Amino acid sequence: MCGVIGICGEQEVVNELIAGLSALQHRGQDAAGIITCSKRFNIKKGNGLVHNVFKSKNVARLQGKLGIGHVRYPTVGGGDLVDAQPFFLNSPLGIAMAHNGNVTNFWELKEELFKKNFRHINSNCDAEAILNVFADELSKQDLAKFGPETVFKTVKGVYRRVKGSYATLALIPDRGLVAFRDPHGIKPLVFGKKGNNYMFASESVALDILGYEFIRDLKPGEAVYIEEREQFFKEGRRVYERQLVKEQHRPCIFEWVYFARPDSVMDGISVYESRIRLGYELAPEVKKQKLKPDVVVPVPDTARPAATALARRLDVPLSEGLIKNRYIGRTFIMPGQAARERSVRQKLNPIRSEIRDKKVLLVDDSIVRGTTSREIINLIRGAGAKEVYFAVSAPPLKFPCVYGIDMQTRSEFIARDRQPDKIAREINADALIYQTLDGLVKAVDPKHKFCTACFTGTYPTEVPERFFKEIERERLCVKGMHLGCES
Ligand code: SF4
């Protein structure tokens, strides 16, 4: 998971890019980067949070009315600065690019680009592969007649060759800004306007905080081109929109469960309202187990709306019995079990008076490997709880995400080969309540067809077996050193 932003402005855009990236910081705390365009590309990338990467001296240097930015989520094997986005190249035109997603035929593309097109991919970042395919497709067009058709033919070529998920922004100096969403629209991308300025971003919250009016979400397989030619400025910028391929829309359902900010609206569905409904859908599952909790406690922060709704529906008091240290920014890659336990302990602290001698129903958004859940439950037991039940607002995670979410390999999911009663024993819970798949879809939007592959194993795109093997190989290199995406 990453965040992208792109702005075509009438003034310098760097401050808006930084503010927008800060609003998307929850989508990636590992690295941040911006490329703006004045007479040249101006670039700043660095590891860490947005406010640590962009200092006043960088801001002064990042001149231009056109720019794109990126925040990166930590992934196994992809943590070097050399892999940080955006990327750029200079042939056949200057092109800078950033994307959110994951290219599932990355290794095949890397080989093909080298053998057939003599293009060398220097990083382990798939944005560089998309960028090189884009450049290769662009080089097949008549650039003397550059216009919207040039852009659309180029993006269509990308759709033909690049598999997986990719919400992408491409900046071409003196031509404009191009945004395109992968053929299944797995990753989100919204589009907004403020006067003559245009913005694309991973989530609507970035538009809100910068005062842009939301226009719409990009459709799956759609490209939008904002033309940046000075001669057109007086009459307003020209915007060209075209859906280039028509595959079924399969947005990632986990955005509504965990990734997105609750104040975002994606593909017309409010994240906050979905999380509230997830809590309502959990209530009958708790009742089926005839549990009588004294208090409902959310594991902060993502699960709070679901816990609130669940408590309301069960008519049980809600309590903030766990407090999160907000200044521990990212899920660290930590060697060994002891370090992981310390990490949970540093992140969360119980309020004993809310827990002591009570039957506590904890609510979290997901269980991946189970280690974090067990640590949280032990924390609550240590604070004097009589019994601890664990409710999860998502169904059991069993399959790796191939679209850009760093989860476990196939063998590491606790739910992969265990039933809930066994998982409950392993995480030291007196009862475990999972969301059902039907409940999940009903809570988010039953009219939509989503990607639910991490629960079902049915991927909306073809995934080469080599891809799973490469993920597993990378994980083996760092085995025991990563906390995955557990909260
Ligand atoms: S596999 Fe899961 S996390 Fe990945 S895109 Fe699909 S729903 Fe989202």
Side-chain angles (χ1 to χ4, degrees), residues 70-97:
H70 185 267
V71 282
R72 182 178 74 191
Y73 190 75
T75 56
V76 169
D80 290 345
L81 191 54
V82 72
D83 296 328
Q85 301 186 44
F87 285 86
F88 77 98
L89 46 69
N90 287 316
S91 173
L93 294 172
I95 311 163
M97 186 173 278

Side-chain angles (χ1 to χ4, degrees), residues 186 252-254 259 401 403 405 407 451-454:
I186 296 169
C252 164
I253 202 163
F254 225 63
F259 302 134
C401 174
Y403 302 120
I405 311 304
M407 288 189 191
C451 173
T452 55
C454 45

Side-chain angles (χ1 to χ4, degrees), residues 290-306:
K290 303 196 178 354
L291 302 172
K292 298 265 179 252
D294 300 314
V295 65
V296 173
V297 173
V299 176
D301 290 313
T302 326
R304 189 171 290 115

Side-chain angles (χ1 to χ4, degrees), residues 37-55:
C37 164
S38 45
K39 295 250 179 289
R40 44 167 284 179
F41 283 137
N42 309 297
I43 307 161
K44 172 64 186 164
K45 301 193 231 185
N47 285 326
L49 300 175
V50 172
H51 71 265
N52 292 329
V53 173
F54 302 104
K55 309 278 187 208

Side-chain angles (χ1 to χ4, degrees), residues 236-254:
R237 285 198 167 93
R238 295 189 182 183
V239 179
Y240 302 90
E241 307 160 37
R242 190 173 304 170
Q243 194 170 12
L244 298 165
V245 292
K246 284 201 175 149
E247 300 280 356
Q248 191 175 44
H249 190 189
R250 303 288 295 277
C252 164
I253 202 163
F254 225 63

